[in-house]
Amino acid sequence: NAGVTQTPKFQVLKTGQSMTLQCAQDMNHNSMYWYRQDPGMGLRLIYYSASEGTTDKGEVPNGYNVSRLNKREFSLRLESAAPSQTSVYFCASRLDRDQPQHFGDGTRLSIL
Amino acid sequence: GNSVTQMEGPVTLSEEAFLTINCTYTATGYPSLFWYVQYPGEGLQLLLKATKADDKGSNKGFEATYRKETTSFHLEKGSVQVSDSAVYFCALFSGGYNKLIFGAGTRLAVHP
């Protein structure tokens, strides 16, 4: 009953380092999403993938790249981390348009 | 564009008090509306949803009614418990954009 699994749960990086956050879902969902959560700002969409093989920018895509590796996996990459990217990152997936999103437990990322 | 506005928190209540968290939205068409809850250190979980006007979503003693005339989806619970302490997010899904739009979240603290 795994649902949406994110790895790692915590990470500390130095400015300029690169990092890939992993996300996998075992619910055969079509759409997957990456959000960041910052105090007082709710969740902001970074990128999403409506289906395998497609990706689209969300509200705050700058400084990030994504890969929809297959139907199960959707990774988020920071090529050159900046302190402004310190946040909690959530991956989510959804079966279809009218279905709710299911969230992972998050990755807490600190960039020094 | 589409947006969601929630009342600012934190909301602090005594156990067994009545809870209302206000949520209003701006959207074209007929969005689906959701309330998500986030417990400390966890991801977001769907609490309830409503997909059309006058629908009432309910779960775990929480209720919210989709009011198109006032573009609102206020969350209510008749008697809160300490275990309800969490952050609550109102969200809308507009099919044209294929993604959820979240409010900023409202922190609820319930003390014995």
Side-chain angles (χ1 to χ4, degrees), chain A residues 5 9 32 46 64 73 86 90 109:
Chain A
T5 303
K9 293 190 184 304
M32 296 185 74
I46 304 171
Y64 304 95
E73 298 171 287
T86 293
F90 287 99
L109 184 61

Side-chain angles (χ1 to χ4, degrees), chain A:
Chain A
N1 222 19
V4 179
T5 303
Q6 292 184 234
T7 55
K9 293 190 184 304
F10 304 93
Q11 185 69 48
V12 178
L13 296 177
K14 294 182 179 178
T15 297
Q17 287 186 310
S18 61
M19 170 80 189
T20 299
L21 308 185
Q22 307 289 352
C23 175
Q25 52 91 8
D26 62 1
M27 297 173 283
N28 202 36
H29 285 176
N30 293 313
S31 302
M32 296 185 74
Y33 305 81
W34 275 106
Y35 295 89
R36 58 178 289 171
Q37 183 179 30
D38 302 293
M41 303 189 75
L43 276 78
R44 292 182 291 169
L45 183 65
I46 304 171
Y47 270 94
Y48 68 103
S49 170
S51 60
E52 187 179 355
T54 69
T55 60
D56 287 285
K57 294 179 180 179
E59 301 172 72
V60 288
N62 292 345
Y64 304 95
N65 284 301
V66 290
S67 295
R68 183 75 183 268
L69 304 170
N70 47 55
K71 192 169 187 179
R72 290 186 65 247
E73 298 171 287
F74 188 40
S75 61
L76 178 72
R77 183 162 178 83
L78 287 69
E79 289 290 351
S80 179
S84 61
Q85 294 177 305
T86 293
S87 188
V88 182
Y89 291 85
F90 287 99
C91 178
S93 70
R94 182 169 58 86
L95 177 62
D96 212 339
R97 283 179 171 266
D98 289 330
Q99 299 302 310
Q101 291 188 4
H102 295 257
F103 285 80
D105 286 340
T107 295
R108 294 184 178 277
L109 184 61
S110 293
I111 297 154
L112 308 177

